[in-house]
């Protein structure tokens, strides 16, 4: 007998504000190439920064050519993108039923790969969490027995990436 699996397919739109934004890929796809990023208006993204370990790499959109250098996007990574205008970033792919994101000791960018928001309070470790929208950083701090506190960053949001500082390794799961 052949093993069959059913996957839920979806489309998700993330709103970008002109300037720097930290994004992630909320849906899995067979097309993970950087060229699969779709914006309205078209060509709104001009720069994408990737963070792997301690290495940051800049990728530029060159009109008439495309993205250089080429890159394969990953679900658990976060990306800084520079948008020249307010734009809608559209993702198409299948919805992951569960995820397990490693939060390493130290500082790290992570991608939140879900289409459902999740409270920051579900984070099992860490000291500080940031995201960036319109070149403005939003922050949440861990305050001992009180837990996570922020007036501006309450949830992990689909399509957003995060910078986390943690004093231990743990896993963010759903």
């Amino acid at each position: 007998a052949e093993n069959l699996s059913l996957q839920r397919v979806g489309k998700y739109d993330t709103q970008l504000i002109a300037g720097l934004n930290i994004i992630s890929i909320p849906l899995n796809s067979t097309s993970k190439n950087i060229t699969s990023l779709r914006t309205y208006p078209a060509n709104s993204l001009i720069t994408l920064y990737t963070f792997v370990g301690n290495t940051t790499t800049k990728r530029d959109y060159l009109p008439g050519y495309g993205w250089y250098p080429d890159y394969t996007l990953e679900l658990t990574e976060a990306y800084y993108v520079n948008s020249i205008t307010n734009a809608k970033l559209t993702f198409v792919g299948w919805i992951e039923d569960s995820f397990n994101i490693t939060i390493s000791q130290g500082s790290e960018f992570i991608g939140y790969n879900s289409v459902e928001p999740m409270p920051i309070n579900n984070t099992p470790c860490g000291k500080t969490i940031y995201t960036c929208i319109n070149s403005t950083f939003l922050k949440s701090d861990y305050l001992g027995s009180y837990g996570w506190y922020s007036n501006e960053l309450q949830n992990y949001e689909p399509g957003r990436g995060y910078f986390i500082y943690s004093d231990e390794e743990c896993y963010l799961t759903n």
Side-chain angles (χ1 to χ4, degrees):
E2 186 175 325
N3 289 336
L4 297 177
S5 67
L6 296 176
Q7 294 177 328
R8 295 182 302 150
V9 175
K11 174 182 159 193
Y12 192 84
D13 293 324
T14 295
Q15 297 300 318
L16 301 176
I17 308 298
L20 289 174
N21 298 263
I22 303 177
I23 66 163
S24 65
I25 312 301
L27 299 169
N28 207 341
S29 172
T30 55
S31 176
K32 293 181 184 176
N33 190 280
I34 193 172
T35 59
S36 66
L37 291 176
R38 299 285 177 247
T39 60
Y40 179 81
N43 304 328
S44 297
L45 299 181
I46 56 172
T47 308
L48 181 139
Y49 295 90
T50 59
F51 307 93
V52 178
N54 292 328
T55 303
T56 303
T57 304
K58 179 181 177 189
R59 287 158 170 79
D60 292 309
Y61 184 80
L62 307 173
Y65 178 80
W67 288 97
Y68 181 82
D70 200 13
Y71 190 71
T72 300
L73 303 169
E74 297 296 335
L75 283 176
T76 57
E77 291 182 11
Y79 306 96
Y80 259 123
V81 293
N82 189 8
S83 183
I84 57 174
T85 184
N86 293 352
K88 177 174 68 174
L89 179 58
T90 300
F91 302 97
V92 176
W94 62 89
I95 299 167
E96 293 292 329
D97 292 326
S98 63
F99 60 82
N100 188 19
I101 300 169
T102 302
I103 299 173
S104 299
Q105 182 178 6
S107 55
E108 175 174 37
F109 282 90
I110 64 165
Y112 178 65
N113 57 316
S114 177
V115 294
E116 298 295 330
M118 185 174 77
I120 293 290
N121 286 338
N122 289 9
T123 309
C125 70
K127 295 284 187 191
T128 307
I129 300 173
Y130 297 92
T131 192
C132 181
I133 302 170
N134 186 23
S135 303
T136 301
F137 283 91
L138 307 178
K139 178 183 177 187
S140 185
D141 289 306
Y142 187 76
L143 304 176
S145 61
Y146 180 80
W148 289 97
Y149 174 77
S150 176
N151 287 329
E152 49 198 22
L153 182 59
Q154 304 293 321
N155 294 304
Y156 290 101
E157 297 290 339
R160 293 277 168 221
Y162 298 88
F163 178 80
I164 296 181
Y165 175 77
S166 181
D167 53 0
E168 62 183 308
E169 183 177 289
C170 66
Y171 302 91
L172 183 62
T173 61
N174 71 337

